[in-house]
Amino acid sequence: MSVGIVQERVAAAIAEALEIVKKQGLLTSEMFPSPVVEFPKREEWGDLSSNVAMSLAKKEGKSPRVVAELIAEQMRAACPFFEHIDIAPPGFLNFTLRRDCWDTVLTEVETQGACYGNSSIGHGRRVLLEFVSANPTGPLHMGHGRGAALGEALARLLRAAGYAVEREYYINDAGRQMKLLAASVYARYAALEGQTIAFPEDGYHGAYIQELAQGIQEQMGSNLLSLSPEEATARCGELAYEKLLAAIKQDLADFGITFETWYSEASLFTTGKIHDALNDLEKRDLVFKADGATWFRSTTFKDEKDRVVCKQDGDYTYLASDIAYHYDKLTRGFDWLINIWGADHHGYVPRMQGAVEAFGYPKDRLQVVLVQMVSLLRGGQKVEMSKRSGEFVTLQEVADEVGADAAKFFFLMRRSDTHLEFDLELAKKQSSENPVYYVQYAHARLASLLRIAEERGLTVPVVSDVDLSLLAAPEEFRLIKHLSSFPGLIESCAQALEPHRISFYLQELAGLLHAFYYKHRVLPPKEGEVQADAVEPGPDGEAVEAPREVVSPSVTQSRLALLQQVKTVLHNGLTLLGVSAPEKM
RNA sequence: GCGCCCGUAGCUCAGUCGGAUAGAGCAUCGGCCUUCUAAGCCGAGGGUCGCAGGUUCGAUUCCUGCCGGGCGCGCCA
């Protein structure tokens, strides 16, 4: 697996050395694992290190140190690009490369630009990514926001990794929840018209139901009262559904989330797909009738028990819709189905994978990413959220308060399967301390610097035109090394379906940039500007004055070239998360 | 009761396949703006990686048991 152009080169050199040592009869393994090359924890241990000798030692019956010696000796002889190769106990290979080996990283970023970090490991395989899929029975809340941010980031990540991704929203516009919505709205509407109708027991109580009823009253007047209660309820349901779905689409658009397809559950009924899917299962002898109901024999696929697909009263269950829906996804020719679900649905995963298997596909054709709950805190107090009680904070409200960028970044800072606490008061009060600003600020700082350079007639040079050996400061070298690991990061995040690591990478990169920025100057002083001495902390932490670094024209050129590449990677990373990279802040 | 997830610094959390002295942000404390954006930088303190075993050269990471927290076990969705 590639983790960047330099690491790849070292890994290849190790692999080559292993084969040569084997030919010399000093190693005996049939096959060697592809060597793992990573950044050592401490800079003194070199630029890159590998534990390959340790992992081979046992099989070879030699001590890790001896294996490391064999590899190192061969590599020293064969590879011109190492400054030196050290061995550290118990058998680490620590590589220090010639400084100019790293310069290819900058060229790479420059030539690939917005595509730097992309790869083709997906081989164009078609992925259906289904997410949010909230019932259109109310506005989206925080939990949906987390799923939305995750889905969008995953779509972008997988595309960057070479997959052909389609984003889809499954609209649960059939079944009991829709009936409850209709009845709730009708009851409110009737009340506005002076009639009292029993409010459904499990109905929706949110204030938005009242607003929907008012909207319908304004639109229809008292016309609905002339219909039968059943017809009026149905009409209320349709109108409410249209408005709520439109609101959901708007909320998502405002949050920067789009979908290629909106798939209606109700369409599964009208097109006969439920029937088709169940027929298919029947042919495979995977459905049976018992107790007046129809069952899917999901225990065949390691589910705890068989599940009802058609109830005694003849209605299909939600599972039946879902089976048909996934049947349809599979027949649409996708190579990989990814669903993002709330973690409270985890018990549902085995039976859906069972359904996939039932249709003759490997069960991992469907992968479910679970998203844990978001607890909303307001001033340290937990806000209980439930659509039924109407007690919840909407995604829209949160995005208005803290901004869509900050909200998305916040959602993507943690692994999706851990519980997330989001304190609104804190997010509002300390929004400037939100890590998203730290990263965005790094980008804006660079944009500003490059802008000023242009204003002073200093065009950003092409990497090949500058003397990269001038980038000798540790802060500069760290930036270059960090840029080199971006492609590998994207690959591993895409494979693990874990975009949160991108946000950590960006925070590190921003940190390196800010450290560089404080310590070094890029542009020459303006004419007549008196350069004060720099202030640096001395050994005891007290400030000491140090002479200000002199920036020659060629150093300026080299640094501009470097920073342009840093800016590109910050931009690419933020874009993957669906967060904007501002030119000014 | 059974199943899934989580348990790492005061708080919120990172920590690919087992690797070297376990990291970051916030909070606390001490410094740094006449300069290209201080929404920034530098430094200090802070840890039994829930507990106990096991596997091995080596375990926060893998296995088993236990404790604590969350969720799920409908002819609801």
Side-chain angles (χ1 to χ4, degrees):
Chain A
M1 187 197 309
S2 91
V3 283
I5 185 164
V6 180
Q7 288 92 326
E8 212 169 54
R9 206 159 139 196
V10 172
I14 295 173
E16 209 170 301
L18 285 171
E19 289 302 330
I20 292 172
V21 176
K22 184 179 165 185
K23 269 187 203 144
Q24 295 167 344
L26 299 168
L27 288 176
T28 56
S29 299
E30 283 287 315
M31 291 266 293
F32 297 113
S34 51
V36 176
V37 177
E38 56 193 4
F39 290 115
K41 268 195 227 165
R42 305 168 77 86
E43 284 183 357
E44 309 91 88
W45 295 338
D47 298 342
L48 291 169
S49 75
S50 177
N51 65 355
V52 68
M54 275 130 68
S55 58
L56 276 175
K58 184 151 199 184
K59 230 171 25 170
E60 291 289 340
K62 293 186 168 66
S63 81
R65 175 149 199 116
V66 169
V67 179
E69 285 291 359
L70 288 171
I71 299 168
E73 206 170 317
Q74 172 57 33
M75 289 181 78
R76 287 188 195 109
C79 312
F81 48 88
F82 293 108
E83 198 76 57
H84 49 94
I85 301 173
D86 304 308
I87 293 165
F92 286 101
L93 281 163
N94 288 339
F95 304 101
T96 302
L97 279 69
R98 281 211 338 256
R99 179 60 182 72
D100 61 323
C101 290
W102 291 98
D103 295 340
T104 53
V105 173
L106 296 181
T107 315
E108 195 77 6
V109 180
E110 182 176 65
T111 34
Q112 297 193 30
C115 296
Y116 177 68
N118 290 12
S119 73
S120 54
I121 54 167
H123 294 106
R125 293 206 309 149
R126 291 185 62 209
V127 177
L128 184 74
L129 181 61
E130 183 217 320
F131 60 108
V132 187
S133 298
N135 288 348
T137 53
L140 298 177
H141 56 65
M142 288 289 284
H144 299 130
R146 189 179 190 185
L150 179 68
E152 182 66 25
L154 277 180
R156 290 167 184 242
L157 250 178
L158 289 166
R159 277 178 190 160
Y163 291 91
V165 183
E166 199 167 305
R167 293 164 293 189
E168 185 158 290
Y169 187 116
Y170 180 55
I171 312 167
N172 298 123
D173 52 1
R176 187 178 130 84
Q177 300 307 321
M178 291 309 293
K179 287 179 186 151
L180 278 176
L181 171 71
S184 304
V185 173
Y186 179 58
R188 294 291 187 232
Y189 166 82
L192 289 172
E193 289 291 324
Q195 297 207 4
T196 310
I197 285 180
F199 197 79
E201 197 171 331
D202 296 323
Y204 293 95
H205 290 92
Y208 68 92
I209 297 292
Q210 189 69 26
E211 287 164 26
L212 285 168
Q214 275 163 9
I216 290 170
Q217 189 190 29
E218 278 163 32
Q219 191 180 337
M220 311 293 290
S222 38
N223 292 349
L224 294 184
L225 292 180
S226 58
L227 302 173
S228 73
E230 291 74 26
E231 284 172 318
T233 304
R235 191 77 192 106
C236 279
E238 284 165 28
L239 291 165
Y241 163 78
E242 281 165 23
K243 287 177 201 287
L244 286 170
L245 186 62
I248 286 173
K249 288 186 179 180
Q250 188 59 51
D251 284 356
L252 287 168
D254 291 347
F255 201 51
I257 313 288
T258 46
F259 290 87
E260 275 73 41
T261 37
W262 295 75
Y263 197 104
S264 155
E265 180 188 2
S267 75
L268 293 168
F269 291 83
T270 54
T271 57
K273 279 181 181 152
I274 293 197
H275 188 255
D276 294 348
L278 295 182
N279 260 358
D280 189 311
L281 290 183
E282 199 169 353
K283 276 184 212 146
R284 298 167 191 266
D285 193 28
L286 290 168
V287 290
F288 64 95
K289 290 201 194 301
D291 306 330
T294 309
W295 301 68
F296 168 44
R297 208 186 295 282
S298 56
T299 46
T300 312
F301 309 101
K302 308 236 162 60
D303 196 6
E304 299 164 3
K305 49 180 284 193
D306 294 325
R307 310 286 175 175
V308 171
V309 286
C310 187
K311 298 185 268 186
Q312 275 180 342
D313 63 10
D315 282 354
Y316 289 115
T317 62
Y318 183 80
L319 178 62
S321 298
D322 251 352
I323 288 174
Y325 177 40
H326 285 82
Y327 182 66
D328 182 61
K329 283 183 183 178
L330 291 165
T331 52
R332 278 190 275 161
F334 289 101
D335 303 302
W336 190 11
L337 310 181
I338 303 174
N339 293 358
I340 297 178
W341 284 355
D344 53 344
H345 288 67
H346 67 80
Y348 205 75
V349 175
R351 73 192 83 156
M352 266 339 288
Q353 289 189 323
V356 167
E357 231 179 324
F359 291 119
Y361 297 87
K363 73 172 180 197
D364 61 0
R365 180 67 62 99
L366 169 68
Q367 197 162 344
V368 180
V369 178
L370 296 173
V371 184
Q372 266 294 358
M373 249 197 322
V374 179
S375 327
L376 206 54
L377 306 179
R378 214 176 247 293
Q381 283 292 318
K382 194 164 179 175
V383 181
E384 293 299 337
M385 293 197 289
S386 142
K387 256 193 200 177
R388 297 274 165 67
S389 68
E391 281 280 320
F392 58 88
V393 178
T394 64
L395 173 61
Q396 189 74 59
E397 284 165 353
V398 172
D400 285 349
E401 279 187 31
V402 306
D405 276 347
K408 276 186 273 194
F409 197 90
F410 204 94
F411 286 138
L412 295 170
M413 273 172 55
R414 289 152 170 71
R415 260 193 9 241
S416 68
D417 61 352
T418 60
H419 198 96
L420 175 69
E421 286 193 351
F422 198 123
D423 192 319
L424 279 172
E425 296 300 324
L426 207 68
K428 263 193 301 187
K429 196 163 54 188
Q430 305 188 332
S431 64
S432 67
E433 283 157 15
N434 192 313
V436 69
Y437 293 100
Y438 185 77
V439 178
Q440 287 183 318
Y441 183 60
H443 185 269
R445 252 184 161 178
L446 288 178
S448 166
L449 178 58
L450 295 172
R451 202 162 46 233
I452 288 167
E454 298 273 351
E455 280 164 19
R456 296 202 202 160
L458 294 160
T459 46
V460 177
V462 177
V463 171
S464 57
D465 285 352
V466 303
D467 183 356
L468 293 171
S469 70
L470 295 174
L471 301 174
E475 291 79 12
E476 292 164 327
F477 190 28
R478 285 179 201 134
L479 279 168
I480 295 171
K481 282 196 282 193
H482 206 62
L483 296 183
S484 77
S485 62
F486 189 63
L489 176 80
I490 293 184
E491 283 187 11
S492 64
C493 287
Q495 281 172 334
L497 303 177
E498 289 183 346
H500 73 275
R501 287 193 233 149
I502 304 272
S503 77
F504 282 89
Y505 173 89
L506 288 173
Q507 289 178 73
E508 281 167 26
L509 182 56
L512 293 175
L513 185 271
H514 288 310
F516 165 84
Y517 190 93
Y518 179 81
K519 187 149 183 194
H520 301 285
R521 215 183 145 80
V522 178
L523 302 179
K526 273 184 276 197
E527 225 163 299
E529 185 184 312
V530 181
Q531 278 212 55
D533 283 344
V535 182
E536 288 179 13
D540 51 0
E542 291 299 302
V544 256
E545 292 196 338
R548 182 64 74 177
E549 181 179 53
V550 179
V551 186
S552 71
S554 45
V555 166
T556 293
Q557 291 287 299
S558 302
R559 288 186 175 163
L560 285 174
L562 166 66
L563 295 182
Q564 173 61 55
Q565 312 323 318
V566 175
K567 179 169 178 272
T568 297
V569 175
L570 283 169
H571 184 277
N572 291 0
L574 283 168
T575 304
L576 280 174
L577 298 181
V579 175
S580 67
E583 295 290 310
K584 272 186 187 163
M585 284 174 79

